Amino acid sequence: MRAIIVETGRLLSPFMEAPDRVQYAESTMRAVVERALTRRGFSIARLAHDAPPPDGNEPTLVLADHTFVSEKALGDFLEQVAFGRTKPARLALCRTPSSDYTRPVSSVVVEPLDKAGEGARPVGAKGPEAEATERIAYDCFFVPAGALPSSSSCGALLDVLRASPRVVVKKREIGIPVRLPLLGDKEKTTMIFPVTSTVCAHVEHWVHVLWLNHLAFGIRWNEIAREQKLFAFLTALKAFPFTRERALRAAVWKGKGVVVHKTAYVEGSILSDGVVVGPRATVRNSILAPGVVVGDHASVLACTLGARAQVTPKTFCVWSTAMEDAVVNNMKMQMSLVGRAASSSLWCGLIDAKFQGAIEVLHDGKLRSTERSFLGSCLGHGSYVGAKVLIHPGREVPNGAMIAMRHDELIREIPKDLVPGVPMVRHEGTLVPLTSLTSRSKAVA
């Protein structure tokens, strides 16, 4: 069989690169999807949006380049559609917390479930899926041999295939309650964070990169458990008698050459080859790609860090993603995305909450709601945000940008004749007695 990945021409802002080249878990979205296809015997061809469509002589899987499909979702979809079908099919999932997690700001289609058939709620559905009334359809299609619709280009082919009958893939999902700060609405102080290995998403904005990496933790752990049964067995043995704390402490997967200081605390995480975790550092529920360095006393919670990324000492990083060679150097970074080789000063502020209403982001020239009150910002590749710079939630810094504090906030000259014990304040780049400014204020009044 063959797989056709249609390159739509969309560039993901602010990175200005194809959506599937961005960070996902330890590598990229493209590498993960192509690996899943290759392992199922597909030959892969990438065609431009305006290129002629392929012939219809053999069964074909067609995906847009912004479509992420986990290996479990792909495998279950193929099992349902690969035999005895005469018409194209479009992959869909029940609308549950996991499929809803990456839905905002994307082009996925939300529609009611059918009452019966492949487009209905799967037989034997449990948990959130059993209560679902809607489904979400993605740009992933299976076309049997001889059933490829006629079209003028691969882009036009996608438009035609979007009308194909839906096939809802069954999934298992659990929800973990996560407490949120109270921001005026007492009913929204708890978020149900979904864990499943059956995930699809349209990656069309940087928020989707961030949210998809949040879900990557559950996907990768399920993949490791299926592929390395001995490790999974030993992990379960270490967690016996089972408690959540014992399970998390036991569930640490390590690659080759990993160095964890004896005073560091690591639980429920994936540490790839060459990862270094320094003294008194904490790493929990995170994915660390090869060569990541976590500095002394740093905290990394629910994060994805790309190859050779660095977290400087005493930095606090939570629910964030940093790409290759990024430097996370901040007293506190939450819900943010850091591009390749980008960095920030210790004192910069990526504000991550809005007191009223949902945070909006710019998408295709318009402000779109993320349907969330908690979201940081995105730093483009090679960008730098300096000390005392505050950035509103949901904003993006272009590639290579350098943002500094106001020059009049710097003390450029320190007088040598400072009087001991006399309070001094910044004024026009130097230091003056506090009383001199208060006297001027009174005179003006």
Side-chain angles (χ1 to χ4, degrees), residues 198-403:
T198 306
V199 172
C200 298
H202 282 185
V203 179
E204 300 165 304
H205 191 275
W206 66 262
V207 294
H208 302 134
V209 181
L210 178 66
W211 297 336
L212 184 59
N213 276 282
H214 290 169
L215 298 179
F217 181 76
I219 299 172
R220 288 292 294 122
W221 265 117
N222 278 287
E223 291 173 348
I224 289 172
R226 289 196 302 270
E227 296 170 2
Q228 302 183 27
K229 291 182 172 55
L230 179 59
F231 170 77
F233 173 75
L234 294 176
T235 299
L237 202 61
K238 291 177 184 178
F240 185 81
F242 183 84
T243 64
R244 183 175 181 273
E245 290 73 19
R246 289 175 64 89
L248 287 173
R249 187 63 174 170
V252 178
W253 187 90
K254 296 180 181 179
K256 299 178 181 178
V258 172
V259 178
V260 177
H261 193 273
K262 63 181 181 180
T263 61
Y265 185 83
V266 179
E267 68 174 26
S269 294
I270 299 170
L271 311 184
S272 303
D273 297 349
V275 166
V276 176
V277 181
R280 304 292 180 183
T282 298
V283 178
R284 297 182 63 190
N285 304 343
S286 296
I287 300 175
L288 276 56
V292 166
V293 176
V294 179
D296 303 4
H297 297 268
S299 295
V300 177
L301 311 177
C303 291
T304 296
L305 303 180
R308 301 173 302 280
Q310 296 185 50
V311 181
T312 59
K314 296 186 178 181
T315 291
F316 181 83
C317 186
V318 59
W319 292 100
S320 295
T321 294
M323 300 187 190
E324 296 178 1
D325 301 305
V327 178
V328 182
N329 179 27
N330 205 318
M331 293 180 66
K332 186 176 184 181
M333 178 180 288
Q334 293 191 133
M335 289 286 185
S336 293
L337 178 62
V338 182
R340 289 192 292 271
S343 61
S344 58
S345 169
L346 181 66
W347 286 357
C348 85
L350 306 182
I351 301 173
D352 53 29
K354 186 177 180 182
F355 290 103
Q356 291 183 334
I359 294 170
E360 294 182 322
V361 294
L362 191 64
H363 183 53
D364 291 340
K366 298 179 180 179
L367 285 175
R368 299 275 299 277
S369 173
T370 62
E371 303 177 25
R372 287 166 165 82
S373 297
F374 295 93
L375 179 68
S377 291
C378 175
L379 307 186
H381 300 324
S383 62
Y384 175 78
V385 179
K388 296 192 72 175
V389 174
L390 296 179
I391 297 180
H392 194 78
R395 299 305 183 255
E396 58 186 51
V397 176
N399 290 342
M402 180 175 288
I403 305 176

